Amino acid sequence: MKKLFFSAFIFQLSIFSLFGLDKSVFFTLGPKLMLNTDSSTKSAPSPVMYSFGIGGDFLFQNNILLQAHGSFFTNYYLWDGEKSQPAEVENRTATALSAMLDFTGGYTVKVGQTQKHLISLAGGIGIFARYAILSNGVNPDDANRDIDTTASEDVSSINGTFFSDLNFLYPEFALSYSYILSETWKIGGEGRVYLPIGSLANGDGVDGMLFSLAFKLSYK
């Protein structure tokens, strides 16, 4: 029995040695652009939102990278009678409290003579979680100027679209760079592209596609 436990212990040590893990927490800060291809003049041009995020990098000795990340931001929306649309401040009905939850896997390489430059390429799934509330200054009984609904009804309709028809599902691709400042700190940036499965599936093409750029600070 002792030999069995000893063998199991040695096996566990070998597994941790083979798949050693470098864990770090990171913070992101930067803009996201949401592509709006609708030709309507009442919806906003492709809006830019500013986000703050936090996440974790899990880098194995074989340079495989697993990552979880959440970024948080807000945006204005209106209801056009058929779907929710990004809105400019003067036409807003709802403010959406938004979180993009990223789950990605990829590969990291060290470059340069000092091996302090890290470049990572990853892909995965983004879950776009949104919840709309009445914007500040908008009353629940305010009438929609184009259709026979109230603001509170429009907010309900807007929320109904966020999690219907796969509008929350965004496959993504990410590219990031980090410079190792010390044993505990890294600094760099990242870019992400999100594809809107819901819009692609219902014939709206890349409407709602997201592009993200962010400053990245990591600590372990």
Side-chain angles (χ1 to χ4, degrees), residues 36-218:
N36 182 14
T37 62
D38 194 281
S39 60
S40 173
T41 57
K42 65 182 178 181
S43 66
S46 299
V48 176
M49 299 85 68
Y50 292 91
S51 69
F52 168 79
I54 186 171
D57 279 333
F58 304 90
L59 181 63
F60 293 83
Q61 281 188 353
N62 56 7
N63 293 327
I64 296 297
L65 174 68
L66 298 180
Q67 186 183 89
H69 175 240
S71 56
F72 309 93
F73 51 97
T74 62
N75 191 35
Y76 294 132
Y77 285 89
L78 59 80
W79 178 249
D80 70 358
E82 296 181 359
K83 62 180 182 179
S84 57
Q85 297 272 22
E88 295 178 306
V89 62
E90 60 270 19
N91 292 325
R92 74 195 189 284
T93 299
T95 299
L97 310 177
S98 304
M100 179 63 80
L101 307 177
D102 306 306
F103 303 94
T104 58
Y107 193 77
T108 296
V109 294
K110 293 183 178 181
V111 297
Q113 293 182 344
T114 61
Q115 297 286 287
K116 289 188 174 183
H117 303 273
L118 306 179
I119 297 177
S120 301
L121 182 64
I125 290 292
I127 306 298
F128 195 5
R130 293 173 284 180
Y131 182 75
I133 60 175
L134 276 175
S135 292
N136 185 40
V138 178
N139 295 315
D141 296 327
D142 286 349
N144 189 310
R145 291 180 296 181
D146 299 299
I147 56 177
D148 187 22
T149 57
T150 64
S152 62
E153 292 171 334
D154 288 351
V155 170
S156 179
S157 298
I158 290 168
N159 276 320
T161 66
F162 286 161
F163 287 94
S164 65
D165 301 324
L166 298 180
N167 289 328
F168 60 91
L169 193 60
Y170 278 72
E172 65 174 283
F173 303 94
L175 176 66
S176 67
Y177 164 79
S178 293
Y179 178 76
I180 300 174
L181 292 173
S182 67
E183 291 184 357
T184 55
W185 292 99
K186 291 180 288 189
I187 191 171
E190 65 169 32
R192 297 175 186 262
V193 177
Y194 301 86
L195 299 176
I197 287 296
S199 293
L200 291 169
N202 64 27
D204 287 336
V206 294
D207 186 49
M209 188 175 182
L210 286 166
F211 302 88
S212 175
L213 290 174
F215 166 79
K216 182 177 180 181
L217 180 66
S218 303

